[in-house]
């Protein structure tokens, strides 16, 4: 039975690794996402398979010991890339110990081909197992597709190396050199080619999935405070008001404005102003119910959406928030910056003809009244009660 030419497969795998490494080298992400470490691993993988292909033309120390040490280093770089992608410290011990063990074992078994196959069926699968554990120890929700594709490639490699090592350890198989073509060699090296492509594409897809998730997040959130932005607030308000009208539930909207914010910027600088915005945002966020929604409406103004809330309940909450901001000054640059807010509230039962803009307009009018009355206070505007239907004319 004809088998695939081993040197050709080795060089094909080396070429695939080199091409993928060069492609990744051209990628310059805005943050450390493991791309450079993955590319370095692919370069080591390229060197490994070039040395394999030179078996018999270079010393055994180069084509056996150095080559397999580089292969172990490849898997160490894969582990490092996954950790860096996840924003965790590199696991230097788990990276270095298998590489050192591989170098020592292959040096010791340099003349024992069967023992080398068994070693390759134990150490690299353990390394890849650590990669898989690191990848899935916390569900990678933002990069699930890429993590799955990467895992498929790694599991393929683990199974092939493990089965190959187990057969060498338990069966009386012919002990042939690396360059001798047989079914197991053909399957192993063809799989190595596939794994390089599959795993690298999986890692690239992880980065793309994360970027897509980040884009969706920043399209809906304010970058400074982490609150939802004006667009998201209006979308939620439209949806909530339609539901409140349909179910005849009370609804309230609150507009919160930081008092004298311009003077904070003028007196303490814009960085202090940013700290004040984040401070107020955190106070609002941590004192609301799970069903409520707070967002940055614009500038130093925040909007709070209060479903299932009558005007009286909204006023009580507004006063609680006002007092919390007044009692807790913002600490920035080693000094305290006193902060107060003015709050306008509009709420009540909604009628079929009411739109979300009516609530916002009412809250804005109440906020203007709070500022006019001296700031650091709460004012409200009630939605007008429905007018009774006119009585039928009596002839």
């Amino acid at each position: 039975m004809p088998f695939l030419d081993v040197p050709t497969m080795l060089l094909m795998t080396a070429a695939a690794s080199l091409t993928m490494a060069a492609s990744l080298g051209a990628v310059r992400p805005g943050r450390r996402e493991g791309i450079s470490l993955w590319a370095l691993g692919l370069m080591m993988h390229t060197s490994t398979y070039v040395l394999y292909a030179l078996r018999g033309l270079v010393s055994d120390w180069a084509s056996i010991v150095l080559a397999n040490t580089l292969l172990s280093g490849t898997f160490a770089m894969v582990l490092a890339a996954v950790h860096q992608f996840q924003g965790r410290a590199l696991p230097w011990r788990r990276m270095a110990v298998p590489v050192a063990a591989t170098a020592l074992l292959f040096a010791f078994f340099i003349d024992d081909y069967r023992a080398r196959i068994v070693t390759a069926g134990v150490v690299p699968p353990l390394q890849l197992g650590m990669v898989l554990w690191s990848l899935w120890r916390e569900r990678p929700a933002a990069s699930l597709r890429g993590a799955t594709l990467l895992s498929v490639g790694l599991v393929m490699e683990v199974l092939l190396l493990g089965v190959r090592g187990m057969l060498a350890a338990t069966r009386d198989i012919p002990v042939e050199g690396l360059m001798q073509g047989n079914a197991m060699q053909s399957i192993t090296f063809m799989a190595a080619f596939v794994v390089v492509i599959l795993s690298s594409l999986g890692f690239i897809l992880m980065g793309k999935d994360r970027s897509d998730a980040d884009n969706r997040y920043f399209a809906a959130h304010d970058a400074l405070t982490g609150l939802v932005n004006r667009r998201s607030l209006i979308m939620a308000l439209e949806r909530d008001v339609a539901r409140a009208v349909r179910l005849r539930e009370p609804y309230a909207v609150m507009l919160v404005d930081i008092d004298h914010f311009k003077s904070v910027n003028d007196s303490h600088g814009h960085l202090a102003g940013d700290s004040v915005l984040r401070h107020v945002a955190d106070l609002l966020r941590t004192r609301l119910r799970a069903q409520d929604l707070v967002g940055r409406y614009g500038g130093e103004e925040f909007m709070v959406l209060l479903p299932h809330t009558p005007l009286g309940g909204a006023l009580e909450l507004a006063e609680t928030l006002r007092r919390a901001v007044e009692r807790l000054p913002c600490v920035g640059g080693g000094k305290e910056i006193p902060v107060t807010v003015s709050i306008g509230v509009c709420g009540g039962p909604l009628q079929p003809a009411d739109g979300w803009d009516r609530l916002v307009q009412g809250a804005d009018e109440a906020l203007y009244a709070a500022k006019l009355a001296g700031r650091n206070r709460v004012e409200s505007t009630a939605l007008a009660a429905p007018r009774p239907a006119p009585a039928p004319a009596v002839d």
Side-chain angles (χ1 to χ4, degrees):
M1 175 181 177
F3 299 108
L4 297 173
D5 182 62
V6 171
T8 300
M9 288 189 294
L10 295 174
L11 292 175
M12 182 176 65
T13 302
S17 298
L18 181 61
T19 301
M20 193 63 71
S23 300
L24 290 176
V27 177
R28 300 185 183 277
R31 59 189 174 191
R32 296 166 67 85
E33 292 192 323
I35 292 290
S36 298
L37 291 173
W38 191 279
L40 177 59
L42 286 171
M43 291 300 298
M44 297 171 74
H45 198 255
T46 301
S47 302
T48 296
Y49 276 78
V50 169
L51 289 173
Y52 282 165
L54 294 175
R55 180 72 56 86
L57 301 176
V58 297
S59 71
D60 286 350
W61 284 96
S63 65
I64 295 175
V65 180
L66 178 58
N68 284 282
T69 302
L70 286 170
L71 182 61
S72 182
T74 297
F75 300 142
M77 288 298 104
V78 169
L79 180 62
V82 168
H83 271 251
Q84 190 175 90
F85 180 86
Q86 295 171 334
R88 292 186 286 150
L90 300 189
W92 292 106
R93 183 175 299 177
R94 281 185 283 154
M95 291 166 56
V97 170
V99 176
T102 298
L104 292 173
L105 288 170
F106 274 85
F108 186 76
F109 295 125
I110 193 169
D111 296 321
D112 189 338
Y113 182 61
R114 186 191 299 273
R116 298 201 305 268
I117 294 178
V118 173
T119 301
V122 174
V123 179
L126 287 175
Q127 289 183 275
L128 295 176
M130 288 191 291
V131 175
L132 289 167
W133 181 80
S134 296
L135 187 62
W136 292 98
R137 60 185 294 185
E138 297 177 2
R139 181 180 172 85
S143 53
L144 185 60
R145 295 183 308 164
T148 301
L149 189 59
L150 171 58
S151 298
V152 169
L154 298 184
V155 169
M156 282 179 56
E157 187 78 356
V158 168
L159 292 176
L160 281 166
L161 291 175
V163 169
R164 186 167 174 254
M166 185 177 63
L167 290 176
T170 60
R171 298 199 176 193
D172 187 19
I173 60 174
V175 181
E176 301 171 327
L178 177 74
M179 308 305 287
Q180 300 299 315
N182 56 49
M184 182 56 74
Q185 298 285 64
S186 297
I187 293 172
T188 300
F189 293 126
M190 180 57 70
F193 174 81
V194 173
V195 166
V196 167
I197 304 298
L198 200 62
S199 299
S200 297
L201 289 177
F203 193 74
I204 293 170
L205 188 56
M206 283 172 59
K208 180 183 181 301
D209 286 345
R210 171 186 278 177
S211 295
D212 290 346
D214 287 348
N215 289 338
R216 289 192 296 271
Y217 177 85
F218 287 113
H221 290 77
D222 172 58
L224 178 63
T225 62
L227 301 178
V228 297
N229 57 21
R230 183 186 184 115
R231 176 174 174 270
S232 297
L233 281 168
I234 298 304
M235 290 175 62
L237 187 56
E238 282 185 302
R239 181 191 65 236
D240 288 355
V241 166
R243 183 178 186 277
V245 168
R246 186 172 67 253
L247 300 179
R248 299 188 178 183
E249 295 174 344
Y251 198 93
V253 167
M254 187 186 303
L255 284 177
V256 182
D257 189 85
I258 300 175
D259 295 329
H260 306 293
F261 184 72
K262 184 177 183 302
S263 67
V264 173
N265 282 330
D266 293 342
S267 302
H268 303 281
H270 289 280
L271 291 180
D274 290 346
S275 296
V276 168
L277 285 168
R278 287 191 292 265
H279 171 72
V280 173
D282 290 340
L283 288 176
L284 297 177
R285 178 167 36 209
T286 56
R287 284 164 173 76
L288 295 175
R289 303 168 298 180
Q291 70 197 54
D292 303 331
L293 180 66
V294 57
R296 188 176 179 188
Y297 192 59
E300 66 271 22
E301 196 167 86
F302 301 89
M303 177 183 284
V304 182
L305 308 184
L306 302 169
H308 321 295
T309 306
L311 181 59
L315 282 171
E316 290 180 12
L317 176 59
E319 183 59 29
T320 299
L321 296 176
R322 186 200 65 77
R323 287 198 302 266
V325 174
E326 185 180 32
R327 285 198 309 265
L328 296 171
C330 174
V331 179
K335 55 187 175 182
E336 291 187 349
I337 303 174
V339 184
T340 62
V341 293
S342 299
I343 303 177
V345 184
C346 180
L350 294 164
Q351 305 306 314
D354 290 337
W356 62 267
D357 54 337
R358 187 177 177 204
L359 281 165
V360 175
Q361 181 181 355
D364 193 51
E365 291 171 356
L367 176 61
Y368 180 76
K371 290 181 178 181
L372 201 62
R375 294 184 169 84
N376 190 24
R377 58 186 296 115
V378 176
E379 295 291 344
S380 66
T381 300
L383 291 174
R387 296 178 180 177
V394 178
D395 294 332

